[in-house]
Amino acid sequence: MRRILTGLSVAAAIAFSASVVQAEPKAEVMHWWTSGGEAAAVKVLKDEFAANGGTWTDMAVAGGGGDAAKTTLKARVLAGNPPTAFQMKGPSIQEWFEEGVLADIDDVAKANGWDKALPPMIAAQMKCDGKYCAAPVNIHRVNWIWANPAVMKKAGVSMPTTWDEFNAAADKLKAAGITPLAHGGQSWQDATVFETVVLGFGADFYKKALVDLDEKALTSDTMIKVFDQMRKMRGYVDANFSGRDWNLATAMVMKGEAAFQIMGDWAKGEFTAAGKKPDVDYLCAPTPGSGYLYNVDSFAMFKVKGEDKVKGQKLLAKLIMGPKFQEVFNLNKGSIPVRTDVSLAKFDACALKSNADLKAADKAGTLLPSYAHGMAMRGAISGAITDVVTKHFNSDMSSADAVKQLAAAVKNAM
Ligand code: GAL
């Protein structure tokens, strides 16, 4: 009997050491990239992971902006079953780190020279207590107008550069029977439009209101004007806007059913996936005002057990920051590479404009984090702001009441 047991344990030991030697990289990757352009982009990463011997388990949770994915993530972490990697960004990386659940990928970062390849501000956001815990993929610009030039021509309007011009163009389009603004009534899309309206009243105002959360700015007459403009916007969307996904709104512009969409440059990923060309089939222009609202996508790694998963995380992190990957992924995604040493030779006019405006904004002090996409503040506060923005957009709440509720919501959430 004893001999059998000994025999068994030797066999088990051999099997164990064999499995250790053979541990292949594995990763369960949780993200919300399910639209045409997004899926094309994430496929680049999946394929590269597989080509490097990895096994990818896809955990896509549909829902633009990631609200549903973030809810699923919370449930998984609470159940003690986190994914290997999650599409996480901005201050939420620190929030999750404080929960003690994020893994350290500093060895990969050191071995691959991340500190040199990244803008210092972005490198700092990827670090937890001085060590890398997330890998950045791209820089998306949020404050863009996507437009259909044929429809604009038909109505005799040009690209607006102020909100007054926007309103004048929208009134003309409406009179011509064209929906001025393609919009999906989901709270994160309302928030996306709202932050560009805030920026249109000055980069300085944006910073005070949505970065510093300054009470004076939040309750100012300018903020009343912001909500007045949001009320105008509500009049420029079609009757079926409620609940519409953002990529379907992009399709409305593509098909000429609407003139404009205000959306980050993941919308360009949709145009690209449909074979459309900038300056020919569609136009891209910054929303009114000057400044650049940035949104950096990244993947954070969770503490997981098993050598295969740890290997998977390290491989994933290495690939994400690979210069070739950053080029191909971002050509599909609509964003620009976050690495500063990737050539933009293959990128289109919108991407080049994004890059030039990013640099100019950085110099001018008008490079600002997107509140709507989780770059500017902790989740509880941005959620509280978005609740008010959406409530106002979907009711007849006055601008004065919206401003009062906004300031109260921020105070409560702090
Ligand atoms: C953003 C994300 C983008 C894009 C968008 C729509 O929050 O950063 O990569 O996916 O949501 O889903």
Side-chain angles (χ1 to χ4, degrees):
M1 186 68 176
R2 184 173 284 166
R3 223 178 270 157
I4 297 172
L5 278 181
T6 319
L8 268 181
S9 62
V10 169
I14 291 170
F16 177 72
S17 67
S19 79
V20 168
V21 171
Q22 283 168 14
E24 300 288 353
K26 271 194 190 143
E28 188 200 5
V29 185
M30 206 163 164
H31 60 91
W32 61 88
W33 287 336
T34 55
S35 77
E38 290 176 331
V42 80
K43 188 176 178 299
V44 178
L45 187 56
K46 272 186 206 168
D47 290 352
E48 205 164 318
F49 195 68
N52 282 275
T55 306
W56 173 293
T57 305
D58 201 49
M59 244 318 259
V61 182
D67 290 341
K70 287 174 211 162
T71 306
T72 309
L73 176 71
K74 275 187 198 146
R76 289 275 309 259
V77 176
L78 273 177
N81 178 30
T84 11
F86 184 82
Q87 180 193 341
M88 185 187 291
K89 47 190 181 164
S92 70
I93 297 173
Q94 303 308 320
E95 290 184 66
W96 279 109
F97 175 64
E98 286 160 17
E99 297 295 323
V101 290
L102 292 193
D104 167 358
I105 46 168
D106 211 43
D107 53 343
V108 182
K110 283 220 169 78
N112 294 281
W114 289 12
D115 272 344
K116 265 198 204 136
L118 291 172
M121 177 187 79
I122 293 172
Q125 288 172 354
M126 299 299 129
K127 289 181 186 176
C128 298
D129 225 358
K131 290 181 174 165
Y132 280 92
C133 56
V137 195
N138 61 5
I139 304 175
H140 271 303
R141 181 187 204 171
V142 180
N143 54 316
W144 282 118
I145 298 180
W146 306 93
N148 183 309
V151 159
M152 286 170 67
K153 202 172 162 203
K154 201 168 137 198
V157 303
S158 45
M159 191 63 91
T161 60
T162 64
W163 289 118
D164 284 344
E165 280 177 30
F166 183 92
N167 297 341
D171 289 338
K172 259 187 147 180
L173 285 155
K174 226 176 153 178
I178 301 157
T179 299
L181 186 63
H183 183 66
Q186 297 174 346
S187 56
W188 73 272
Q189 294 187 60
D190 300 340
T192 301
V193 172
F194 173 78
E195 72 176 4
T196 67
V197 172
V198 173
L199 182 69
F201 285 90
D204 197 43
F205 177 65
Y206 182 99
K207 185 174 175 291
K208 278 193 190 132
L210 294 179
V211 180
D212 303 341
L213 301 170
D214 173 66
E215 204 183 335
K216 264 197 204 143
L218 290 170
T219 55
S220 62
D221 288 349
T222 311
M223 194 53 92
I224 298 223
K225 287 187 191 144
V226 167
F227 281 103
D228 289 348
Q229 180 60 28
M230 287 303 284
R231 181 61 68 235
K232 284 252 170 208
M233 298 303 226
R234 177 66 178 78
Y236 296 143
V237 305
D238 70 328
N240 300 320
F241 79 104
S242 243
R244 177 188 287 132
D245 287 331
W246 67 272
N247 51 317
L248 299 181
T250 310
M252 288 171 69
V253 175
M254 239 183 259
K255 290 188 222 151
E257 293 168 8
F260 304 128
Q261 181 186 22
I262 292 173
M263 188 49 67
D265 42 23
W266 44 93
K268 200 188 76 187
E270 297 306 296
F271 287 105
T272 307
K276 307 281 184 202
K277 299 269 170 288
D279 292 332
V280 180
D281 306 307
Y282 68 94
L283 307 176
C284 61
T287 54
S290 63
Y292 187 112
L293 300 184
Y294 68 85
N295 171 25
V296 174
D297 284 315
S298 48
F299 281 90
M301 308 299 166
F302 278 87
K303 281 183 186 157
V304 284
K305 289 200 185 88
E307 207 201 338
D308 50 353
K309 291 183 184 167
V310 173
K311 269 190 170 177
Q313 289 182 328
K314 294 191 195 286
L315 175 59
L316 197 63
K318 188 178 155 207
L319 296 178
I320 284 173
M321 272 291 286
K324 188 70 203 160
F325 164 77
Q326 293 237 336
E327 181 191 57
V328 183
F329 175 89
N330 286 301
L331 282 169
N332 285 289
K333 189 73 171 68
S335 35
I336 54 174
V338 66
R339 287 188 73 110
T340 51
D341 56 357
V342 176
S343 158
L344 295 182
K346 291 192 184 145
F347 284 76
D348 63 23
C350 302
L352 298 181
K353 172 133 187 75
S354 172
N355 189 51
D357 288 0
L358 173 81
K359 290 198 173 130
D362 193 18
K363 269 199 196 131
T366 57
L367 179 58
L368 295 157
S370 159
Y371 120 79
H373 293 277
M375 301 302 297
M377 60 194 80
R378 291 182 166 245
I381 309 172
S382 61
I385 295 177
T386 302
D387 283 348
V388 176
V389 169
T390 292
K391 235 163 96 188
H392 170 267
F393 199 72
N394 290 292
S395 69
D396 56 6
M397 188 192 291
S398 72
S399 299
D401 282 348
V403 161
K404 262 189 221 141
Q405 290 200 17
L406 182 71
V410 169
K411 220 181 205 168
N412 279 338
M414 294 244 273

